[in-house]
């Protein structure tokens, strides 16, 4: 799969980008299927994130019951103290113009502030060869044999 | 939905167009040409989506045009 890298304009020239006024963000449109609904979200391709993480408000929206979820804690840049994270199974789907991949994953839901959900390693990037080319402005993901594909619509 | 078209169209918006939505959660149209709903929090965005009875959309976030982000989604 090949995705363009998203571009966000800035108001002022960016010194570290030699005066350019566009920020590049490695966002992917990820379909998340829960027990009662699905949601299409922009998620951040993040090799620094251990897990796939969504905001906790999304869980109820797609019917994920977190009452019996395994709990943990997570930290990130700017979080200071660890924030709670609850893990639950969902089905994920990525597709570009020519390929579609749907697989099962256990993901985290957190009450910590998230601007973009994180498409991290466990349950996500671990199953793909991933290349980001900022010169060509492309994200290339190649599914590996380990991807736990499914055709199911409900986790 | 054509994911690549969505990303390309989202990227075409100017800073002026996105200014009203900076640091807000948004619901994009599936072609990325329009912001259908927005909210300061995800809960507020969901309320707006429901109020407008939207069915087809992509949830995203509009970063500030003035801020540099350290990384990750959590700040």
């Amino acid at each position: 799969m090949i995705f363009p890298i998203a571009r966000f304009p800035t108001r002022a020239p960016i010194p570290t980008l030699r005066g350019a006024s566009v920020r590049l963000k490695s966002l992917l449109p990820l379909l998340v299927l829960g027990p009662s609904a699905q949601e299409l979200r922009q998620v951040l391709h993040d090799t620094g994130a251990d897990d796939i993480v969504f905001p906790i408000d999304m869980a109820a929206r797609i019917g994920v019951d977190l009452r019996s979820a395994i709990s943990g804690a997570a930290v990130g840049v700017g979080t200071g103290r660890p924030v709670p994270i609850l893990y639950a199974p969902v089905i994920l789907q990525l597709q570009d113009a020519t390929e579609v991949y749907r697989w099962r994953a256990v993901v985290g839901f957190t009450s910590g502030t998230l601007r973009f959900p994180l498409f991290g390693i466990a349950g996500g990037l671990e199953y793909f060869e991933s290349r980001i080319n900022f010169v060509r402005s492309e994200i290339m993901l190649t599914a590996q044999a380990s991807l736990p594909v499914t055709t199911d619509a409900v986790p | 939905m054509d994911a690549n078209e969505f990303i390309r169209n989202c990227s075409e918006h100017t800073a002026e167009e996105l200014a009203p939505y900076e640091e807000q959660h948004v619901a994009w149209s599936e072609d990325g040409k329009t912001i259908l709903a927005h909210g300061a929090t995800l809960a507020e965005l969901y309320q707006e989506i429901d109020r407008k009875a939207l069915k087809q959309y992509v949830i995203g976030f509009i970063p500030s045009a003035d801020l540099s982000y350290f990384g990750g989604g959590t700040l």
Side-chain angles (χ1 to χ4, degrees), chain A residues 2 4 6-11 23 25 29 39-42 46 55 58 61 77 79 95 113-116 118, chain B residues 1 3-4 7 11 13 15 22-23 28 42 46 49-50 58-61 63 65-66 69-70 72-75:
Chain A
I2 300 177
R7 304 160 67 88
F8 287 91
T10 63
R11 254 182 288 281
R23 287 286 192 190
K25 294 192 183 292
E39 189 165 289
L40 192 52
R41 297 200 62 114
Q42 287 183 301
D46 189 348
M58 181 182 157
R61 187 81 175 174
V77 176
T79 55
Q95 72 178 93
T113 303
L114 285 176
R115 284 178 164 81
F116 291 102
L118 304 176
Chain B
M1 178 193 137
N4 294 24
I7 296 168
S11 299
H13 293 273
E22 280 183 38
E23 291 296 291
W28 288 101
L42 187 57
Y46 284 147
I49 288 171
D50 291 342
V58 182
I59 295 200
F61 185 84
D66 295 319
Y69 292 85
F70 284 142
T74 310
L75 286 173

